[in-house]
């Protein structure tokens, strides 16, 4: 039994060394190598989406970089009835967000629009529906943030 126990401990130690040596690095670690510094972010409109975009953008950039940018944006959000049953009750919604951005650098200024939409079933439980809708908004914010970073990376 003791030999089996020693082999097991050796196996565990080997696994730990392998995992620690695999080169894992968090995506949003402090060693991100973005070629810009976000000096200012001003977003208006839907508070939930705007707050999540700001949180996502605060994780990127390098303050030591000389290329500073300013981001201004207006985020609109709509929840429209998509389909109804015979009684006229909504069975499916279309969630739509439209984000209009202005990015300003020392050399240029660009404007662009990002649109996202998602079809969501109507829930019987309002609390669960609101919770699910908030999750969709977080996903919208993540997608918009990624597309925004892609646009910024294309700047000169």
């Amino acid at each position: 039994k003791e030999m089996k126990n020693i082999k097991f401990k050796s196996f565990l130690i080997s696994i730990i060394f392998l995992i620690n040596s695999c080169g894992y690095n968090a995506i949003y670690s402090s060693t991100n190598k973005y070629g810009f510094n976000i000096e200012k972010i001003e977003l208006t409109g839907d508070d939930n989406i705007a707050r999540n975009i700001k949180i996502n953008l605060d994780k990127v950039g390098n303050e030591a970089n000389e290329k500073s940018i300013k981001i201004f944006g207006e985020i609109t959000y709509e929840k429209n009835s998509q389909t109804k049953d015979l009684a006229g009750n909504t069975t499916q919604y279309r969630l739509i967000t439209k984000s209009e951005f202005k990015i300003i650098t020392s050399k240029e200024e660009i404007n662009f629009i990002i649109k996202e939409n998602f079809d969501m079933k109507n829930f019987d439980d309002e609390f669960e529906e609101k919770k699910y809708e908030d999750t969709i908004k977080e996903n919208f914010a993540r997608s918009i943030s990624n597309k925004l970073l892609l646009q910024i990376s294309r700047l000169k």
Side-chain angles (χ1 to χ4, degrees), residues 127-155:
F127 177 75
E128 287 298 319
E129 182 175 312
K130 177 68 175 139
K131 203 163 88 171
Y132 186 65
E133 188 176 347
D134 287 344
T135 301
I136 299 303
K137 284 183 172 185
E138 287 175 22
N139 291 338
F140 279 162
R142 190 174 304 114
S143 176
I144 291 167
S145 300
N146 289 337
K147 290 177 181 179
L148 183 59
L149 288 171
L150 183 62
Q151 288 290 336
I152 292 170
S153 69
R154 294 178 179 165
L155 295 174

Side-chain angles (χ1 to χ4, degrees), residues 77 79 93 95 118 120-137:
Y77 174 78
K79 181 179 180 180
Y93 293 101
L95 309 178
F118 183 81
M120 178 182 85
K121 290 183 183 178
N122 188 12
F123 285 62
D124 292 331
D125 182 359
E126 272 188 50
F127 177 75
E128 287 298 319
E129 182 175 312
K130 177 68 175 139
K131 203 163 88 171
Y132 186 65
E133 188 176 347
D134 287 344
T135 301
I136 299 303
K137 284 183 172 185

Side-chain angles (χ1 to χ4, degrees), residues 37-74:
N37 172 37
I38 299 176
E39 183 181 317
K40 184 177 192 177
I41 304 171
E42 267 187 38
L43 302 175
T44 59
D46 186 86
D47 290 333
N48 193 344
I49 296 173
R51 181 181 67 251
N52 282 303
I53 291 172
K54 283 182 182 180
I55 289 169
N56 292 333
L57 294 178
D58 282 342
K59 297 176 184 176
V60 300
N62 181 355
E63 292 181 18
N65 200 302
E66 293 179 21
K67 184 178 177 183
S68 286
I69 61 169
K70 296 177 184 174
I71 301 171
F72 300 94
E74 170 69 31

